[in-house]
Amino acid sequence: VQLVESGGGLVQPGGSLRLSCAASGSIFSINTMGWYRQAPGKERELVATITSGGVTNYAESVKGRFTISRNGGKNTVALQMNSLKPEDTAVYYCHLLVIGVRHWGQGTQVTVSS
């Protein structure tokens, strides 16, 4: 299984970014995809997840600002991030959970700064 992310970058506070991730390989149809992030000196934390059935889960800190979506047939997931804050600065990792096994992307840097 391979996860390839795209879409990170530098944005000013209040701006928007969209992250995308495509999973390839042999993937069971029932799974959960999502995004985690890790800021310098902090532990990796959940941002948002979405199941193959479309059930979503968000960290409290991003509710109302971030939206996760997926194209289940293609095992792709996107994270639309609006109203970005400096505290959203982190490396964002795409995540796939399938049959109890976790897979991670290589990470993409998101920096929110003026």
Side-chain angles (χ1 to χ4, degrees):
V1 175
Q2 185 178 16
L3 303 177
V4 178
E5 302 134 332
S6 61
L10 172 65
V11 64
Q12 292 186 344
S16 298
L17 279 176
R18 183 177 178 86
L19 305 182
S20 298
C21 173
S24 61
S26 180
I27 302 171
F28 188 59
S29 59
I30 300 175
N31 58 66
T32 298
M33 296 189 75
W35 295 89
Y36 286 66
R37 66 187 181 187
Q38 187 167 18
K42 295 187 177 181
E43 294 187 353
R44 192 172 297 188
E45 63 176 5
L46 179 147
V47 177
T49 62
I50 183 167
T51 70
S52 48
V55 178
T56 59
N57 180 46
Y58 293 92
E60 286 294 327
S61 61
V62 307
K63 281 184 179 178
R65 300 188 298 122
F66 291 10
T67 302
I68 190 169
S69 61
R70 69 181 289 174
N71 181 332
K74 296 183 178 180
N75 284 318
T76 60
V77 64
L79 185 69
Q80 178 66 41
M81 304 184 294
N82 299 327
S83 302
L84 282 160
K85 305 175 181 180
E87 51 264 42
D88 294 318
T89 295
V91 177
Y92 284 69
Y93 295 91
C94 182
H95 174 261
L96 168 67
L97 176 65
V98 56
I99 316 180
V101 178
R102 296 182 181 274
H103 304 271
W104 297 95
Q106 79 283 0
T108 184
Q109 178 70 45
V110 171
T111 302
V112 185
S113 175
S114 55

